[in-house]
Amino acid sequence: MEDRTRNLNQYVDFVYDKLRQDGDNFVVVGGLEGSGKSAFALLLCNAISGDLFDIESCVVYDSSEYIRKVKSVPRYSSIDCDEGGEMFMSNDANTLAGKNIKKTMQQSRRKNHNTVILAPRSFYLNKTSLYRCHAYFHIYTKSVGNRILKGYGIKYVPENKVWQDGKRPWFVKAFHFRFPDIKQIDPEAWELYTRIKNERGDGRLDRYADEIEEENEVKPELTSEQIADMVDDMKLSEQMALRNTRGRFDADVIYERFKDIGATYRMSKAAALDLNNRMLPI
C-alpha cells in the first residue's frame, strides 16, 4: 500500500487498514528533548490500535524488552519504543544487541505491529531501522512571547530512489499537523506513563553506572603460574578446548578464556609454555 495521506486522520486510517491487510508499520518520531515526542507517540499508538495498546505492556525502554514484546504484544497492536535512540543506535548496530534487534524487526510483519521509534534525530538510528521506516514525524515547539507552545509536527515520507547507492534514506515533506495535549485529554494515562518512564530511567542509570564501575574495577593480580594451575585443575574436556589442532595448549585460546580476570597475552603465552612443558595427558 502506498502512503498518499494528506493529514493525520487519513494516516491513522491508512495504517489501521494496512495492518489488517497483513502489513506492518514502522515510524520514527524525532525532535528535541521536551518537544512532545512521547505525547505524540502515545496518541498515535492509541489512535491506530485502540484498546490493543496498553501503556504498561506496549511501551518499551531497552533492546531485550523490545524483542520480547514483539512476541507477546497482540496482533495489530502498537509498540512504543520510548528510548529508540538507545535501542536502535547506529553505533551499536554490530553489537549482539544491535544484530538481534535487526533480526527481530523482520518478525514484526508476521505480527502486523505498528512500531513507533522515538529518537532526537534520525541519524542516531542504524540503517536497518531507517530502511524499515515508512514515515518520519518531526515534532517541534513554537515560541510566542514568553510562552512555549507544543503540539506541532511535520510528517515526512522516505524517497526510495536515493537508497540505490546504500546511503541513508532521504525524507520528503508530506504535510504539517497539530496534535492535542494528552495531559488534558487523559491525565491518568500521562501520569502512569511518566511514573513508569521515571522508574525505568532510574534503573537504566544504575545499570550504566554499574557497567562503568565494573569496567574500571581493579582486577586481582594474576600470574602465568596461577593460570597454568587453574587449567591443570580443569576437567579433561575443558582442557581440550584450550588446545590447538596439534594437541598443544594455545596461548590465544587461553588468553580469551582468562582475560576477564586480568590475564594478559604475555601471561597466557607463558602459561601455555608451562602447560606444554608439564606434559599433561591428552
Side-chain angles (χ1 to χ4, degrees), residues 130-148:
L130 286 178
Y131 183 82
R132 292 283 276 125
C133 175
H134 302 116
Y136 174 73
F137 292 92
H138 175 67
I139 307 303
Y140 63 96
T141 61
K142 287 185 177 182
S143 297
V144 178
N146 295 326
R147 295 186 303 159
I148 297 178

Side-chain angles (χ1 to χ4, degrees), residues 63-80:
S63 302
S64 59
E65 187 178 19
Y66 167 71
I67 293 172
R68 291 191 177 97
K69 292 301 181 182
V70 169
K71 178 181 178 181
S72 64
V73 166
R75 191 179 186 188
Y76 307 134
S77 186
S78 294
I79 300 177
D80 182 350

Side-chain angles (χ1 to χ4, degrees), residues 6-124:
R6 306 308 303 169
N7 59 59
L8 207 53
N9 289 333
Q10 287 182 8
Y11 182 75
V12 169
D13 293 339
F14 167 78
V15 175
Y16 181 92
D17 293 338
K18 180 182 177 184
L19 299 183
R20 281 153 182 81
Q21 294 183 37
D22 201 29
D24 68 350
N25 195 60
F26 275 84
V27 302
V28 174
V29 178
L32 297 177
E33 295 294 341
S35 59
K37 297 189 300 296
S38 297
F40 173 72
L42 293 174
L43 290 169
L44 183 64
C45 290
N46 183 71
I48 291 172
S49 299
D51 293 338
L52 293 173
F53 177 72
D54 179 73
I55 290 177
E56 294 187 84
S57 61
C58 296
V59 182
V60 298
Y61 300 91
D62 58 46
S63 302
S64 59
E65 187 178 19
Y66 167 71
I67 293 172
R68 291 191 177 97
K69 292 301 181 182
V70 169
K71 178 181 178 181
S72 64
V73 166
R75 191 179 186 188
Y76 307 134
S77 186
S78 294
I79 300 177
D80 182 350
C81 301
D82 195 77
E83 297 294 341
E86 295 184 20
M87 289 188 283
F88 300 88
M89 188 175 291
S90 59
N91 292 344
D92 296 335
N94 291 320
T95 64
L96 176 62
K99 291 177 180 178
N100 286 341
I101 280 281
K102 289 186 282 187
K103 294 174 184 177
T104 302
M105 293 174 73
Q106 309 313 311
Q107 297 294 324
S108 180
R109 194 212 59 78
R110 180 173 60 87
K111 300 297 292 290
N112 306 121
H113 286 154
N114 171 57
T115 303
V116 180
I117 303 170
L118 276 68
R121 289 289 187 273
S122 63
F123 57 75
Y124 282 29

